[in-house]
Amino acid sequence: MKHAVVVLGVLGAVLASIAVSITVGPANLTTADVVAVVVAHLGGPAAEVSRIQDGIVWEMRLPRAVLAALCGTGLALCGAVMQSMLRNRLADPFVLGISSGASTGAVTVAVLGIGAGVLSLSSGAFVGALVSFVLVMMLATGAGGGTGPVILAGVAGTQLFSALTSFIVLSSADAEQTRGVLFWLLGSLAGADWADVWACAGAVGIGVMVCVIAAPSLDAMTLGSDTATALGVPILRLKVILLGVTALMTATIVAAAGAIGFVGLVLPHAARLLVGPRHSRLLPTTMAMGAVFMVWADTLARSIFSPQEIPVGVVTALVGVPAFAAILLRGRGRSRGLRSAPRLVGARQSES
């Protein structure tokens, strides 16, 4: 019963954010108009709005807001799962090079046309994400494994695939195509349509189901591989499955919206501060925060300098960096308190 209430509350927060964000803009729309248009398109009574307003809601703003929510859900979930699975608080698709690899794969298909007859943009992004992650993990393993080598290998992979993407765009695309691709690479939901929504919904839906089922095993993995194995968790098989679904989600999101940073890095930390590390609570909270955050980040991106639009990745970075700094400073204060506690106890014992 308690979990059902939490799930309903989470869905309510996300739906309310989507409905309210759609009203932001030059068109004279209210939340009631948005709800009426959606109900009408789902088979309900006709909405008392103009055809232009109907088109703005159903064809432009609603798919964009829903896609933003799906992107935020997927990226935040990927970050939470990767941080727990790799036992590294800096792990996320952007830091470990998955987003950069997906961007390279997508640009290879879009600009060079390689595999265009066989691979879609999403498929090219998925292949690039897998290649990038495999290379990063091979480099980290060769360097001895552990937290430091994984992060350093991720940084190297990110720089490598970012350079490859820039080289492909600057050497093979014309001026107009270059401008569009570079804007997309910074993260943009400007071209969102229902096809993108359904593609992301499928990938994120699969990822959510797999990760929620694996939540108890993720709890065990945070204690270490030996402890998880002793508890009966199939470490290798679980890692392969989780890495596969995180790569699938990241690739699909990158193909639809470009490389958006800091969502998967910051929001899992914020969720842990609210609900603790247990994944049965952490994952739903992280996903909800990711969805709401991305909806409003995209709303700011399209409205703050209207009619000009800025990439949503710029907004997530501008908000994410100070938020992450605040989380790090708060964590440092807590760790200082924990280190000083034994000294205080010893001092009191000596005084007595």
Side-chain angles (χ1 to χ4, degrees), residues 2 92 120 122 166 168 197 209 216 231 239 258 267 272 277 300 317 321 341 345:
K2 185 177 180 180
D92 89 319
S120 64
S122 298
S166 300
I168 292 171
V197 170
M209 288 190 293
L231 294 172
K239 282 187 175 182
L267 293 179
R272 287 188 189 94
L300 286 175
V321 171
V345 172

Side-chain angles (χ1 to χ4, degrees), residues 272-292:
R272 287 188 189 94
L273 293 177
L274 292 176
V275 299
R278 190 168 182 176
H279 287 83
S280 60
R281 296 189 297 266
L282 176 65
L283 295 184
T285 305
T286 302
M287 289 186 288
M289 293 177 67
V292 173

Side-chain angles (χ1 to χ4, degrees), residues 1 41 59 65-66 78 110 129 145 148 150 154 189 202 214 269 278 284 325:
M1 181 64 181
H41 281 272
E59 299 296 337
V66 173
C78 287
V150 169
L189 296 166
H269 291 289
R278 190 168 182 176

Side-chain angles (χ1 to χ4, degrees), residues 63-345:
R64 180 167 181 162
V66 173
L67 183 61
L70 289 170
C71 291
T73 298
L75 291 173
L77 177 62
C78 287
V81 170
M82 294 179 73
Q83 288 170 14
S84 298
M85 182 172 52
L86 300 176
R87 300 183 67 198
N88 190 322
R89 300 183 69 187
L90 294 178
D92 89 319
F94 195 82
V95 173
L96 294 185
I98 297 179
S99 294
S100 298
S103 299
T104 302
V107 167
T108 300
V109 173
V111 176
L112 298 182
I114 296 177
V118 179
L119 296 178
S120 64
L121 201 65
S122 298
S123 300
F126 181 65
V127 172
L130 286 181
V131 171
S132 173
F133 190 75
V134 169
L135 288 177
V136 167
M137 295 311 295
M138 288 176 60
L139 180 59
T141 302
T147 299
V150 169
I151 295 300
L152 292 175
V155 171
T158 298
Q159 295 300 315
L160 171 64
F161 284 96
S162 295
L164 287 174
T165 300
S166 300
F167 176 77
I168 292 171
V169 172
L170 295 176
S171 63
S172 303
D174 56 37
E176 184 177 352
Q177 193 176 29
T178 298
R179 176 180 171 83
V181 170
L182 291 179
F183 190 88
W184 169 77
L185 287 174
L186 291 173
S188 174
L189 296 166
D193 56 26
W194 286 111
D196 294 327
V197 170
W198 290 117
C200 284
V204 173
I206 293 171
V208 168
M209 288 190 293
V210 171
C211 294
V212 168
I213 292 172
S217 299
L218 286 170
D219 287 335
M221 291 178 70
T222 57
L223 302 175
S225 298
D226 294 338
T227 302
T229 302
L231 294 172
V233 177
I235 297 294
L236 180 59
R237 184 175 67 184
L238 184 62
K239 282 187 175 182
V240 170
I241 292 173
L242 292 177
L243 290 175
V245 297
T246 53
L248 173 64
M249 286 191 286
T250 302
T252 307
I253 291 169
V254 168
I260 301 172
F262 285 97
V263 178
L265 178 63
V266 176
L267 293 179
H269 291 289
R272 287 188 189 94
L273 293 177
L274 292 176
V275 299
R278 190 168 182 176
H279 287 83
S280 60
R281 296 189 297 266
L282 176 65
L283 295 184
T285 305
T286 302
M287 289 186 288
M289 293 177 67
V292 173
F293 174 76
M294 272 298 298
V295 167
W296 287 108
D298 183 58
T299 302
L300 286 175
R302 66 176 173 80
S303 62
I304 192 169
F305 293 119
S306 181
Q308 186 176 357
E309 184 173 317
I310 61 175
V312 68
V314 174
V315 177
T316 60
L318 289 175
V319 176
V321 171
F324 190 57
I327 292 171
L328 287 178
L329 293 174
R330 182 171 180 176
R332 182 182 180 186
R334 286 186 172 184
S335 63
R336 280 182 175 178
L338 291 173
R339 287 195 300 268
S340 63
R343 299 176 186 174
L344 293 175
V345 172

Side-chain angles (χ1 to χ4, degrees), residues 34-56:
V34 173
V35 173
V37 169
V38 174
V39 170
H41 281 272
L42 295 179
E48 296 182 358
V49 297
S50 67
R51 293 183 63 182
I52 294 177
Q53 290 175 319
D54 182 275
I56 290 173

